[in-house]
Amino acid sequence: MAAPGKLSTCRLPPLPTIREIIKLFRLQATKQLSQNFLLDLRLTDKIVRKAGNLANAYVYEVGPGPGGITRSILNADVAELLVVEKDTRFIPGLQMLSEAAPGKLRIVHGDVLTFKVEKAFSESLKRPWEDDPPNVHIIGNLPFSVSTPLIIKWLENISCRDGPFVYGRTQMTLTFQKEVAERLTANTGSKQRSRLSVMAQYLCNVRHIFTIPGRAFVPKPEVDVGVVHFTPLIQPKIEQPFKLVEKVVQNVFQFRRKYCHRGLGMLFPEAERLENTGRLLELADIDPTLRPRQLSISHFKSLCEVYRRMCDEDPQLFAYNFREELRQRKIKKKEKQDDAKSYRL
C-alpha cells in the first residue's frame, strides 16, 4: 500500500494527454454547465494527495469531465473508482481510461444531484459513525453551477446519515469558487462568514487546503478555485433537525448587514413578531445587536434549541414562511384596489 498522502507507484499505461483527448473527441467546455477543465496533472495529483491515502480505497468522483482527476485517482491504486458524468460527450474518453485500468473504473451516465450513491458500493464497507471514516471517498472538480446546491444536499445527508454517508463519515475533497471555499471555512467575525460557514461547520471539520489559480483551467474562469476537505464530525455541534437549523441560519443571514434580530424576526408571523423575537433572543441569551457574522456556532445552537421549543409549543410555527405572508398581503391589497376601481366604474 502507498504511504499516506502519497500516490501509488502503480501507474496507468501511456495514454493521450487530457489536451489530446479534448482535441480527439472535439470537446468544448459548455458555459451553461459552468464547465472548466483542469489539464495540469501535477495539480490533479495534488488534489488526490490531499484527499488522503487512497490505496485500495473506493472513490466516488463527481463530474469527471475529460478525466484529469480521474487519471490521478486511478494512479493512486484505488480498489474501485465510480464516476458519474451528466454530459455524454465525455463518456468515450472515460471509456478509454476504463480500458486502460481493467476492473477499476465504473462509469455512470447520470446526474450527481439525483444519483443514489448509497447503493453503489458493497455493504461490507460500512463503518459505525463513531469509528474512523470508512474507506470510501468523494472527490470532484464541481461545476460552479451545482457546487452550492450539491454541498447543501450532502450536508443534509450527513445530518441524516444517509446518501454517501450510509458508509459512515465519508470524507470529501471538492473544488469551489475561491469565494465559496472561503465562506465554507470562514471563522466567526470574518467578512466571509455566511450561511454556508455555519451549515458546514456545525456538521464537519472543514479545511480550505489550497487554491488553484484560474489560469490553470481551460477555459480560464474569472475567479480562482479553492480545494476544500470535509470530514463529518462524530457529534454535530447543533443537535437539531437539519431543516430547522437551515431555516434559522437562512433567516439570520438574509439580512447580513443588519442586527441579528432583524432576520430572526422573520421566523414569526407579523402579529406576534416583536414579542416572539424578543422571547427567542432572551431565552437564547443572545445580544440582539450582534451582526449575523458575529454569531458563533454556540449562538446558533442556543437559537435553534429555543426555536425548537417554540415550534413544539405551536405546531404551525415551523411551517410559517414570511415571504408567503408578504405574497398573500400583496394579493389582498391588489384585490382591494381592483374592487375600488370596479366601485368607481
Side-chain angles (χ1 to χ4, degrees):
M1 291 176 64
K6 300 286 186 181
L7 289 181
S8 167
T9 54
C10 177
R11 309 294 294 182
L12 289 168
L15 290 164
T17 66
I18 297 298
R19 197 176 293 276
E20 288 168 345
I21 289 286
I22 289 171
K23 288 182 179 178
L24 178 64
F25 294 105
R26 299 179 180 179
L27 302 174
Q28 287 187 328
T30 302
K31 188 174 182 180
Q32 292 90 333
L33 298 177
S34 306
Q35 292 174 337
N36 301 94
F37 305 149
L38 186 57
L39 307 185
D40 188 338
L41 291 184
R42 292 171 300 181
L43 288 172
T44 60
D45 283 352
K46 186 175 182 180
I47 291 172
V48 171
R49 283 198 304 272
K50 294 297 184 180
N53 180 14
L54 298 185
N56 295 317
Y58 292 78
V59 180
Y60 170 38
E61 185 190 359
V62 294
I69 295 177
T70 312
R71 293 186 185 211
S72 294
I73 296 171
L74 290 170
N75 279 328
D77 200 22
V78 296
E80 183 181 10
L81 171 58
L82 167 67
V83 299
V84 176
E85 177 54 63
K86 185 177 182 178
D87 193 333
T88 54
R89 298 175 304 150
F90 296 122
I91 301 299
L94 293 170
Q95 287 172 336
M96 182 183 292
L97 283 178
S98 181
E99 292 165 6
K104 293 279 190 179
L105 178 59
R106 185 153 46 109
I107 303 163
V108 173
H109 174 226
D111 187 339
V112 296
L113 288 170
T114 57
F115 180 69
K116 302 292 185 184
V117 70
E118 59 267 36
K119 300 178 180 177
F121 297 120
S122 169
E123 293 269 330
S124 65
L125 295 171
K126 292 182 178 180
R127 302 189 68 163
W129 195 262
E130 296 73 21
D131 283 7
D132 290 337
N135 202 21
V136 177
H137 296 256
I138 299 174
I139 300 176
N141 175 29
L142 302 180
F144 295 158
S145 60
V146 302
S147 62
T148 298
L150 185 57
I151 195 59
I152 290 293
K153 177 180 183 292
W154 279 340
L155 290 171
E156 184 169 8
N157 289 146
I158 291 171
S159 177
C160 299
R161 301 184 185 182
D162 60 14
F165 307 96
V166 295
Y167 304 103
R169 295 186 298 119
T170 303
Q171 297 179 83
M172 302 185 287
T173 307
L174 306 168
T175 63
F176 299 88
Q177 292 182 54
K178 184 184 176 186
E179 181 181 351
V180 175
E182 289 172 344
R183 288 178 184 171
L184 285 163
T185 56
N187 294 321
T188 305
S190 165
K191 290 182 179 179
Q192 295 290 349
R193 187 75 164 176
S194 70
R195 170 183 71 115
L196 282 178
S197 317
V198 178
M199 297 306 294
Q201 292 170 33
Y202 97 85
L203 289 164
C204 297
N205 176 15
V206 191
R207 294 183 295 120
H208 182 179
I209 45 182
F210 72 99
T211 299
I212 303 174
R215 64 178 179 274
F217 293 85
V218 176
K220 177 182 176 296
E222 296 179 0
V223 295
D224 292 338
V225 171
V227 180
V228 182
H229 186 81
F230 301 80
T231 304
L233 299 170
I234 293 175
Q235 198 75 20
K237 294 179 180 178
I238 303 173
E239 295 187 70
Q240 297 295 338
F242 182 86
K243 291 296 186 186
L244 184 143
V245 178
E246 185 178 39
K247 185 174 183 180
V248 171
V249 174
Q250 277 182 331
N251 275 272
V252 168
F253 279 101
Q254 68 182 329
F255 299 106
R256 57 181 300 110
R257 297 183 185 277
K258 305 289 186 181
Y259 293 137
C260 66
H261 71 80
R262 179 74 171 86
L264 287 168
M266 298 299 107
L267 291 168
F268 306 105
E270 188 175 26
E272 58 256 25
R273 183 167 295 157
L274 190 61
E275 178 186 351
N276 280 341
T277 304
R279 182 181 169 215
L280 171 62
L281 288 161
E282 182 180 358
L283 292 174
D285 194 22
I286 305 293
D287 179 352
T289 63
L290 288 175
R291 309 284 182 182
R293 63 186 174 90
Q294 295 175 301
L295 296 177
S296 66
I297 299 288
S298 179
H299 286 137
F300 278 105
K301 179 176 184 290
S302 298
L303 287 166
C304 290
E305 287 173 351
V306 174
Y307 180 62
R308 171 70 180 272
R309 293 202 298 269
M310 296 174 81
C311 289
D312 289 343
E313 293 169 7
D314 178 3
Q316 294 182 330
L317 179 58
F318 184 71
Y320 169 73
N321 184 319
F322 86 93
R323 296 186 189 279
E324 179 62 22
E325 183 180 43
L326 189 62
R327 190 179 74 86
Q328 291 295 334
R329 195 185 309 156
K330 287 180 178 178
I331 290 172
K332 289 179 181 178
K333 183 179 178 181
K334 187 176 185 304
E335 287 174 349
K336 285 182 179 180
Q337 290 172 342
D338 291 344
D339 288 345
K341 287 179 183 177
S342 299
Y343 179 77
R344 286 196 298 269
L345 291 173

